[in-house]
Amino acid sequence: MMVQAIPSIEQVKENLTKVKERVARAAERAGREPSEIVLIGATKSVDVERIRAAIEMGLSHIGENYAQEAWAKYQQIGDAVTWHFIGHLQTNKAKLVVRFCKFVQSLDRLALAEELNKRAGQLGRIIDCLIEVNIGGEETKSGVSPDEVEQLIRQVSQFPNIRVVGLMAMPPFLPDPEQVRPYFKRMKELFERLKNLDLPQVETRYLSMGMSHDFEVAIEEGANMVRIGTAIFGPRPFKGGEGK
Ligand SMILES: *Cc1c(COP(=O)(O)O)cnc(C)c1O
């Protein structure tokens, strides 16, 4: 097996600069301000030294997939950045995650919402949540189907310690990002439809979609949050279950 080297600190900084430029150009093509796009560094398996380097270069949002790993990094990095939980979240990890994550982007079921609400309530916090949508209808991926999103939002709107702030999607991985465009378009349509729901604790502002190989297409189609790992921090060692 070929093992690709982890990029140097200098490379991480250069990568981040390039990614920011590409985000800005994609925003401009879509007739939007670059500052409207929230760039999240997806840092699963990335060490604290490299995350710190990116923070020094102005990265202010971090997305993590595994609760324990994220917590260990939080203890070293603290509130210098905004923490997002972007991976599949087990109900029994909600208690830990609400301690330091402002956003949970992978809300995909009522039982998880109940637990997040309860645990956030115990800390007197409100957690900003995005509903994860399985836009490709893939068996291997988490997320609710597009027709179930509204119902879940209505149920979650009853919870005082959760605020629904948007939708998140991980479309199918297709080698040519142009092939992903139709999925992004469908997400945008859903987002526009749900934006007008007039519910308490619901303010659908963020459309989180686009990763290293397709974020420009996602922004062109209306994403205002992108989650980028490899293009900034280099390749990761493969981990089973990733993307769930
Ligand atoms: C890993 C991950 C990303 C970033 O993926 P890259 O292809 O490395 O940019 C984005 N979103 C989620 C949910 C992830 O797990």
Side-chain angles (χ1 to χ4, degrees), residues 8 28 31 35 41 46 53 56 82 84 95 131 161 166 200 220:
S8 69
E28 280 158 10
S35 62
V46 177
E56 267 173 46
T82 301
H84 297 244
K95 185 183 176 186
I131 308 287
N161 294 85
E220 285 165 18

Side-chain angles (χ1 to χ4, degrees), residues 42 44 65 86 168 170 211-212 227-231 236 242-243:
K44 56 181 174 266
N65 290 58
I86 63 175
M168 185 270 253
M170 282 232 292
M211 303 171 31
S212 290
R227 309 175 309 268
I228 302 180
T230 314
R236 296 178 285 277
E242 188 172 290

Side-chain angles (χ1 to χ4, degrees), residues 136-209:
E138 294 169 280
E139 299 241 321
T140 53
K141 284 200 180 136
S142 307
V144 295
S145 77
D147 342 318
E148 291 165 351
V149 178
E150 182 172 341
Q151 191 195 357
L152 184 58
I153 292 180
R154 287 186 182 278
Q155 289 168 325
V156 173
S157 71
Q158 314 293 321
F159 297 137
N161 294 85
I162 291 185
R163 189 162 43 211
V164 175
V165 296
L167 304 180
M168 185 270 253
M170 282 232 292
F173 182 89
L174 299 165
D176 176 3
E178 279 304 324
Q179 294 178 291
V180 193
R181 194 182 289 277
Y183 295 97
F184 292 140
K185 271 195 206 299
R186 250 179 268 164
M187 280 301 301
K188 171 72 164 156
E189 282 162 20
L190 187 61
F191 177 71
E192 287 301 327
R193 195 152 57 69
L194 297 171
K195 241 162 115 174
N196 303 319
L197 287 179
D198 186 17
L199 293 169
Q201 298 285 99
V202 176
E203 203 185 311
T204 316
R205 295 158 51 200
Y206 297 113
L207 181 54
S208 173
M209 56 185 194

